[in-house]
Every structure is written in C-alpha cells, then in structure tokens.
Amino acid sequence: MRNLIFLFLGLILILSCTTSKIYTAQTCHVCLSKSDGILVLPVAWEPSFRSLSVAEKNQLERQILSDLRGKGFIKVELYDQLDYELLKAGIKDLNDPIQRAKINSELGYPYLLGLSLGPTREGEGWSYQRPEEVYAQEAIPDMEVSAILRVALIESETGMIVSDNSIVSENAGFSKTDKEGGLDYWNFATLSGVIRTGVGKGIDFMVKDCGC
C-alpha cells in the first residue's frame, strides 16, 4: 500500500511540474567570484510580494541564501540581519550613494541582490468537464498557477544593475479522463511554490551568466 502511495505522489509531481522561462534585460557584465560578498535585500521590503504570508516570505529568503551558499558563495547574508554592522558603518539609507558605497568599502559586500514580483495568476485547484462538454470541446478550465519574477544584481558602490533577468514560471496542472468520458482537472501547485521554483531558476541562471 505504501508503495502505491509513493507511486501516486510521484505521478502527481511528474504531471504537475512547474516550468520556467528566462528573459534577459541586462546581460551580466561582471565577473562574479565565489568570494564576493552578496547582500540580499529583504523580500518584505518589496510591496509586490504582499500576496505572500510572512512565513512564505521568510521561506523564500532562506531559499535564496541557501541557493547561493550551495553554489559556493561564502559571504552571503540578508540585509536586515546586519543591523549592528550597518549601524556601526553609518548605513541607514540605501538611496544615499555615499552610504550605499560603504556596503562594499566597509562591510565587504560589492553586490546587492534584489527581487520583485510581477503579475501572478492562481487558477482553480480542481474542476470537472462533463462528457458532453468534452465532446463539444468547450473551453478548458483555468487551472494555471503562474508568476513573473525579476532578479537583479546591483553594484553596491555605483548602484548600477549589472544583471537583470525576468523569470516566467508556470504550472498548468493536469487532467485525467474518468470512466464516463468526463475530464477531471487538478492543480496541486501553490503560488509560493511556483515563485520559489522561479527564484531558484533565476539565481542559477544569474550565477552562470556572471561566471568568470
């Protein structure tokens, strides 16, 4: 029985996978070293992420840090976890170019990593078409869960964006015909899960694009 459950869960994962496409606005023009410090800007600062809960935002931030560290970056931190260091260096306003430059000169983080969330879509989790509706080729129910993300790498000293990519992540769900000829539609994906997939793809692409 347990094997059947695992087989069913595995089938769901295969049938309802999330796909991501990356569109580049700014090809990376720096040589990003694994020893370079990257300071991640808090997701909570970005109003476009308001649809996520506090727990989901925290999970996303942990994922970003984990992804970068897993790729060998040894100095990666979340901006608002350096309260003492920022206060000691006199950094209070990132819009002030003099203060922002200190993030590199005094704290040793030459790059800031910022994310924003574009349009999202969260369709139905389940729907059904009767056999006559299937036969008449009526419109397929809206099951799609999708999100558009922007991942930007910024030089802390100049404020210039050195890598800028948009990631379109989509999960269309899946369908199955029943014995009467009707169609069951499912989508077990969550918006936060689709966003996390997109972020992972975006960071992976950025690191490769900025590779020496």
Side-chain angles (χ1 to χ4, degrees):
M1 182 67 179
R2 182 178 295 179
N3 290 337
L4 288 175
I5 293 174
F6 284 131
L7 181 62
F8 178 69
L9 291 175
L11 182 61
I12 288 175
L13 290 173
I14 291 171
L15 293 176
S16 64
C17 63
T18 299
T19 60
S20 298
K21 294 181 180 179
I22 298 176
Y23 301 89
T24 299
Q26 171 65 61
T27 301
C28 189
H29 60 262
V30 296
C31 182
L32 192 60
S33 170
K34 299 297 174 64
S35 60
D36 286 335
I38 300 177
L39 204 53
V40 179
L41 298 178
V43 170
W45 283 9
E46 176 51 54
S48 59
F49 283 99
R50 68 171 65 93
S51 60
L52 299 186
S53 68
V54 172
E56 289 169 336
K57 292 173 187 175
N58 292 339
Q59 184 179 19
L60 184 57
E61 290 173 344
R62 288 194 299 270
Q63 177 191 328
I64 295 167
L65 297 175
S66 177
D67 284 354
L68 288 169
R69 289 167 181 162
K71 295 181 186 306
F73 289 91
I74 58 178
K75 190 173 183 179
V76 179
E77 195 55 81
L78 192 65
Y79 184 91
D80 59 2
Q81 290 180 351
L82 296 181
D83 288 341
Y84 173 76
E85 292 85 350
L86 292 166
L87 182 63
K88 185 177 179 181
I91 303 169
K92 299 179 181 179
D93 183 7
L94 285 181
N95 293 316
D96 182 337
I98 296 176
Q99 292 185 44
R100 189 186 58 243
K102 290 182 180 180
I103 293 175
N104 182 29
S105 62
E106 298 197 22
L107 301 184
Y109 291 90
Y111 300 105
L112 298 167
L113 182 65
L115 281 76
S116 61
L117 182 62
T120 62
R121 186 176 181 182
E122 198 164 10
E124 302 177 62
W126 175 82
S127 189
Y128 179 73
Q129 277 190 324
R130 298 188 300 274
E132 58 269 25
E133 294 173 327
V134 176
Y135 180 78
Q137 296 184 336
E138 293 194 11
I140 295 174
D142 178 16
M143 311 300 295
E144 182 181 287
V145 180
S146 62
I148 299 176
L149 291 146
R150 183 186 181 192
V151 177
L153 188 67
I154 307 159
E155 277 187 338
S156 54
E157 190 164 344
T158 65
M160 290 181 57
I161 295 176
V162 297
S163 172
D164 191 357
N165 300 290
S166 292
I167 305 95
V168 179
S169 288
E170 301 174 336
N171 190 311
F174 65 98
S175 61
K176 186 179 185 300
T177 304
D178 64 18
K179 60 183 180 181
E180 285 82 24
L183 271 175
D184 279 296
Y185 294 88
W186 288 281
N187 196 333
F188 296 107
T190 62
L191 181 59
S192 62
V194 168
I195 290 171
R196 289 197 305 273
T197 298
V199 168
K201 297 290 186 180
I203 290 177
D204 185 57
F205 181 84
M206 180 197 74
V207 170
K208 290 178 180 177
D209 192 37
C210 295
C212 301

